[in-house]
Amino acid sequence: MNLVLAAIAVIGVSLSGPLMAATAAPVLAIAFWRNAMATGLLAPFALTRHRAAITGQNRHGWLLAFVAGAALAAHFACWVASLKLTSVAAATALVSMQVLFVIAIDALRGHRAAPAVVGGALLAVLGVVAISGVDLSISREAILGDALALAGGLFAAVYVIVGSRVRETLSTTAYTFTCYGICSAILLVACLAAGVPLGGWSARAWMLIVAVMVCAQLLGHSVINHLLAVMSPVVVSLMLLLEVPGAALLAAAFLGEALPWATYAGIVLILAGLAVVTAANGRARPAETLVAD
């Protein structure tokens, strides 16, 4: 069942890029609305069935939830900004370093990864590089964009690591409602501060924003948040690397785009890396840490 959910999550996040690219609205505004709309949809369930769990969190629980939401907002902000300053290929390759940041952060916390885990992660990242290519330009603007893409990967790593901690005490619905609410509030402030418009678009743009929310937020991130209770952050981060070839395959299927051989080679490398890490690290967590939805 978890493999089915993982496939749904990968398809959901893979649709994010093509849908956002087709939406005639600022990307930061789309990031706000996808989180805000998801928060609104989850509210009736979260505030009825899970209200006691949400309001009953202690100060440490609220702090972790805030850090997760803030990290998700920072990931969106850095990722969007990097795409305007550097090439899409470079930004994609650098943000995929998320999995290596997860391993590094775990090491700083005293949880050193096995050599096979590190090797598998590097193999998967190499697969992303094979697909996207390395197009690192030497200019002040491009270097800033590359740095922002790396920061986006770092914040994404913090998001999944902290999220896995929060999921030990909160259900998927309670956590996603809290996290998305915090994230959308921070993104709203960012949009207002940057003068990013939050409306005035065509009906088609709004329909695509709803599609992004359903696919990327509810079927993508929400399922990922569920899997954080039964998979390690390293495995989840590796799984998310499949978004890169996933978006390419979807574009080929629906837009008739021809894929270079490097795409298929990259998919093999990512799957091989994921298999190595899964075998070495194990996916399941102890049953006592799981929280029912």
Side-chain angles (χ1 to χ4, degrees):
M1 182 61 181
N2 289 329
L3 290 177
V4 174
L5 290 175
I8 292 172
V10 169
I11 293 172
V13 295
S14 296
L15 285 167
S16 174
L19 286 172
M20 291 179 73
T23 305
V27 182
L28 196 60
I30 300 173
F32 160 71
W33 280 115
R34 62 185 273 186
N35 281 275
M37 288 178 176
T39 302
L41 283 179
L42 291 169
F45 306 98
L47 297 178
T48 52
R49 296 179 58 186
H50 304 276
R51 183 174 182 177
I54 295 172
T55 58
Q57 292 185 93
N58 57 27
R59 183 178 300 179
H60 182 64
W62 276 110
L63 176 61
L64 289 177
F66 178 82
V67 170
L72 181 58
H75 164 70
F76 280 127
C78 290
W79 173 242
V80 169
S82 71
L83 292 173
K84 296 181 179 181
L85 297 171
T86 190
S87 69
V88 174
T92 300
L94 290 170
V95 80
S96 71
M97 299 301 161
Q98 169 188 343
V99 63
L100 301 183
F101 282 125
V102 170
I103 293 173
I105 292 172
D106 277 345
L108 291 174
R109 295 166 59 211
H111 306 296
R112 291 187 177 276
V117 172
V118 178
L122 289 172
L123 189 64
V125 171
L126 181 61
V128 174
V129 174
I131 295 171
S132 61
V134 180
D135 184 22
L136 300 178
S137 302
I138 305 299
S139 70
R140 183 176 179 181
E141 187 176 77
I143 291 174
L144 176 58
D146 296 340
L148 285 171
L150 275 175
L154 173 60
F155 285 122
V158 173
Y159 166 59
V160 295
I161 289 175
V162 177
S164 69
R165 289 286 307 277
V166 181
R167 282 288 285 113
E168 293 175 3
T169 56
L170 285 183
S171 67
T172 302
T173 302
Y175 170 59
T176 52
F177 169 75
T178 305
C179 181
Y180 295 168
I182 292 170
C183 179
S184 58
I186 294 174
L187 287 172
L188 175 60
V189 173
C191 287
L192 294 176
V196 176
L198 297 174
W201 311 306
S202 66
R204 181 178 183 274
W206 283 110
M207 289 178 63
L208 286 171
I209 290 174
V210 172
V212 171
M213 183 271 295
V214 173
C215 296
Q217 207 68 26
L218 295 182
L219 297 180
H221 280 270
S222 295
V223 174
I224 289 166
N225 289 333
H226 167 76
L227 293 174
L228 283 172
V230 292
M231 292 181 178
S232 73
V234 173
V235 174
V236 170
S237 296
L238 273 175
M239 181 185 73
L240 289 177
L241 294 185
L242 290 170
E243 175 185 357
V244 179
L249 290 171
L250 287 170
F254 293 105
L255 302 177
E257 295 183 3
L259 295 178
W261 66 267
T263 299
Y264 300 102
I267 293 173
V268 172
L269 289 173
I270 293 172
L271 291 175
L274 183 58
V276 170
V277 172
T278 301
N281 202 44
R283 292 178 300 168
R285 289 190 172 192
E288 64 268 20
T289 65
L290 306 185
V291 178
D293 291 336

